[in-house]
Amino acid sequence: MKRVAVLASGFGSNLEAILEAQSRAEIQGKVVLVISDRRDAKALERAEKRGIKNLFIDPRNYDDRENYDLALAEILKSEEVDLVVLAGFMRLLTPYFIKSFPLKIINIHPSLLPSFPGTDGIEQAYAHGVKVSGCTVHFVDEGLDSGPIILQESVPLIQEESIETLKQRIQALEHRLYPIAIDLFCREKLQVNGRRCYIVE
Ligand code: GRF
């Protein structure tokens, strides 16, 4: 059984969806640790409620990003984590950290990458007036939301809908897609060749 760590800074609705899927045995992996860079992250509470080890690692205790990431990497290695899942983790990870876990860090982004990377993916797409948006699960590389795409699904925009309803619809999609991607990883069904990620039988 693969050992999964989830890094989250905020509300943790994706974490919740992952834990729900795990409890329905839809993920052949186990979330063993949740880490946050914010003490008040609801994600920590969600983990605590389910008896999952959870840690607040305070960035203020470290001189710079490298040292923070060094501490993070040490914890993940000591917990023998196989997969690092970013679920609304609001810190940019250093190249050192990413190199420490090659093709073992995944992220979910609320747009159809490579369109609208970075923060506020939904707002950017909405402001641009797109007719279709969606979400993307991808491996993390050293670029901004630029690693090989694992899963991607679209959401057509409804004419004159508000950004709030679009957000809700994209989030519902995220909650469905992320557990599927995590399960594929845990069952070793993902094979990456250059930019392309294949789902194998
Ligand atoms: C999600 O919308 C995800 O796309 C982005 O951060 C948000 C996290 O939301 N990377 P939550 O904390 O999982 O509710």
Side-chain angles (χ1 to χ4, degrees):
M1 192 78 108
K2 298 274 191 227
R3 294 170 64 78
V4 178
V6 179
L7 273 51
S9 302
F11 189 59
S13 69
N14 278 284
L15 170 68
E16 191 72 34
I18 294 162
L19 296 176
E20 282 291 320
Q22 183 184 303
S23 68
R24 294 191 301 266
E26 288 168 12
I27 295 179
Q28 279 184 33
K30 190 172 190 287
V31 176
V32 293
L33 176 64
V34 173
I35 295 180
S36 181
D37 60 333
R38 301 213 185 134
R39 190 191 301 278
D40 58 356
K42 181 109 191 332
L44 291 174
E45 233 176 80
R46 295 182 195 269
E48 184 68 25
K49 264 193 195 139
R50 293 181 187 249
I52 296 167
K53 181 169 179 178
N54 58 94
L55 301 171
F56 160 56
I57 315 279
D58 192 346
R60 284 172 305 188
N61 292 341
Y62 300 87
D63 292 341
D64 52 27
R65 283 171 51 214
E66 271 73 22
N67 278 307
Y68 186 86
D69 283 6
L70 200 68
L72 217 55
E74 261 171 34
I75 295 167
L76 294 168
K77 288 197 167 149
S78 73
E79 290 288 336
E80 297 181 350
V81 162
D82 300 297
L83 172 66
V84 180
V85 172
L86 306 183
F89 191 60
M90 298 310 283
R91 287 176 69 83
L92 280 180
L93 294 164
T94 54
Y96 162 79
F97 185 88
I98 291 160
K99 282 196 197 99
S100 306
F101 300 95
L103 294 178
K104 287 184 174 173
I105 312 170
I106 64 174
N107 182 42
I108 191 155
H109 183 77
S111 78
L112 292 176
L113 290 172
S115 289
F116 311 116
T119 52
D120 303 330
I122 301 175
E123 287 81 353
Q124 289 183 56
Y126 188 83
H128 196 85
V130 298
K131 300 281 184 187
V132 178
S133 192
C135 75
T136 308
V137 182
H138 63 93
F139 282 106
V140 173
D141 66 8
E142 290 177 33
L144 180 64
D145 298 325
S146 60
I149 291 170
I150 300 169
L151 292 177
Q152 191 162 49
E153 251 185 60
S154 62
V155 166
L157 269 76
I158 298 163
Q159 198 149 253
E160 291 178 15
E161 83 172 312
S162 67
I163 187 154
E164 282 69 36
T165 66
L166 178 62
K167 273 186 189 163
Q168 282 165 13
R169 294 195 301 128
I170 290 181
Q171 249 161 25
L173 191 59
E174 288 189 331
H175 299 161
R176 189 166 60 73
L177 221 56
Y178 219 179
I180 296 173
I182 294 167
D183 182 54
L184 287 170
F185 180 97
C186 290
R187 289 191 290 121
E188 300 185 352
K189 299 286 185 197
L190 302 177
Q191 253 175 34
V192 177
N193 186 0
R195 280 223 48 90
R196 223 162 281 278
C197 174
Y198 298 95
I199 297 171
V200 296
E201 270 318 299

